[in-house]
Amino acid sequence: MTDQRRPQRRFPDAREDLRHWEDIPDTPQTLSPSYRLAFSDGEFLTRDELRPVRLQLELLKTEMALAERGITSTVVIMGSARIPSPETAGAGGTGPAALANWYEQAREFARLTSLRALATGNRENVVCTGGGPGIMEAGSRGAAEAGGISVSLNIVLPHEQVPNRYGTPELSFNFHYFAVRKMHFLMRARAIAVFPGGFGTLDELFEVLTLVQTGRMQPLPVLLFGRAFWDRVIDWSALVEAGTIAPADPGIVTFVETAAEAWAAIDAWIPR
């Protein structure tokens, strides 16, 4: 919010009181934890009873930053944190290294996406990733190489989740709660691009599919890169034959192989 839009204040704001706190003399009373201002008391804010407040803070911090930046829509890129770039994978790689071509497709998809975002003043079609390595790095990298910006939604994990160096610093966020992070992936999403991945990618993908299937989220393009990979991982026909999903439900996703094909699918997409 700009100063012109702020209402006239009749009381000191929180920042002023925090500045005054620095000048308070040390006494047994002022040194007691009970005397700390509640909103600046880390031990208080991290208590179990304050979980609802922390959930709200994580939702608000990112929401306010994106709104103040004027970002109205994003294109979300999901995929494995373990897929390396071709230059680090080496020749004849196995395991995740054998999937290094998807790093390049994610990078190119992000580049094409950012060119569209730049045409709107970085308000629409802004690249959004999980902010970490692998496919997430490729997304942030492609955006940076196009001269664009990217939103990074990092999560505190004991391994893997270190912010990549290509994400826009002032749009790099960190989350404690997976649920709030996943909300931010979808709140502004115009399209979801999902590259090969593991449990985390599957979790995020199936959340989107469930929300669209149940009508809790408006339909949007859900692009799965690499049909050969996804048909091995998910037996769509078996789910239909078992009657656990409707025959039309696999149509929620669109399979693509290249970045150019993905954007052609987004442009041609019509809601069911």
Side-chain angles (χ1 to χ4, degrees):
M1 182 179 289
T2 63
D3 290 339
Q4 289 80 5
R5 293 171 55 192
R6 289 186 187 275
Q8 182 179 4
R9 290 187 288 104
R10 299 188 180 275
F11 303 97
D13 68 14
R15 294 185 184 89
E16 290 181 46
D17 279 351
L18 284 175
R19 287 194 295 269
H20 292 160
W21 176 272
E22 298 174 358
D23 299 326
I24 295 176
D26 290 345
T27 70
Q29 292 75 24
T30 62
L31 292 174
S32 171
S34 64
Y35 194 74
R36 297 171 189 158
L37 291 165
F39 55 81
S40 66
D41 187 340
E43 291 183 11
F44 172 68
L45 288 174
T46 53
R47 290 180 54 157
D48 285 347
E49 297 91 336
L50 271 291
R51 182 173 292 112
V53 175
R54 295 195 299 274
L55 284 162
Q56 184 177 20
L57 290 174
E58 287 209 342
L59 181 66
L60 279 172
K61 182 176 181 179
T62 303
E63 170 60 26
M64 291 170 66
L66 297 183
E68 289 169 357
R69 189 69 179 248
I71 296 173
T72 59
S73 71
T74 58
V75 175
V76 178
I77 298 175
M78 300 173 173
S80 175
R82 304 182 184 190
I83 294 178
S85 64
E87 58 262 40
T88 60
T94 59
L99 300 172
N101 63 299
W102 296 118
Y103 181 104
E104 281 302 293
Q105 288 302 324
R107 180 178 172 185
E108 174 64 6
F109 179 72
R111 187 188 71 83
L112 295 177
T113 300
S114 291
L115 292 177
R116 295 185 178 231
L118 286 165
T120 71
N122 284 321
R123 298 174 64 88
E124 301 175 17
N125 299 313
V126 174
V127 168
C128 177
T129 80
I135 293 297
M136 295 174 282
E137 176 189 285
S140 302
R141 183 177 179 180
E145 289 171 344
I149 62 174
S150 63
V151 178
S152 299
L153 305 179
N154 295 272
I155 186 77
V156 177
L157 294 176
H159 59 86
E160 291 185 345
Q161 189 65 13
V162 176
N164 67 69
R165 66 183 186 274
Y166 299 104
T168 303
E170 62 271 25
L171 294 175
S172 296
F173 305 96
N174 199 18
F175 291 85
H176 175 71
Y177 296 107
F178 266 103
V180 179
R181 177 181 184 245
K182 288 194 286 186
M183 281 188 67
H184 279 297
F185 274 128
L186 302 182
M187 286 171 65
R188 286 174 168 79
R190 181 195 170 186
I192 309 287
V194 188
F195 291 80
F199 288 166
T201 304
L202 290 167
D203 174 50
E204 292 158 356
L205 169 61
F206 276 100
E207 175 124 18
V208 176
L209 297 181
T210 301
L211 289 170
V212 173
Q213 180 203 46
T214 58
R216 295 296 296 170
M217 179 180 181
Q218 293 183 359
L220 78 171
V222 181
L223 311 169
L224 298 189
F225 277 76
R227 180 157 198 160
F229 174 88
W230 290 110
D231 278 350
R232 289 183 62 198
V233 173
I234 306 170
D235 192 334
W236 311 93
S237 297
L239 294 172
V240 173
E241 291 170 6
T244 54
I245 64 173
D249 285 341
I252 296 173
V253 305
T254 300
F255 294 99
V256 296
E257 303 298 327
T258 67
E261 186 182 348
W263 261 109
I266 295 173
D267 289 334
W269 185 80
I270 300 174
R272 290 192 300 165

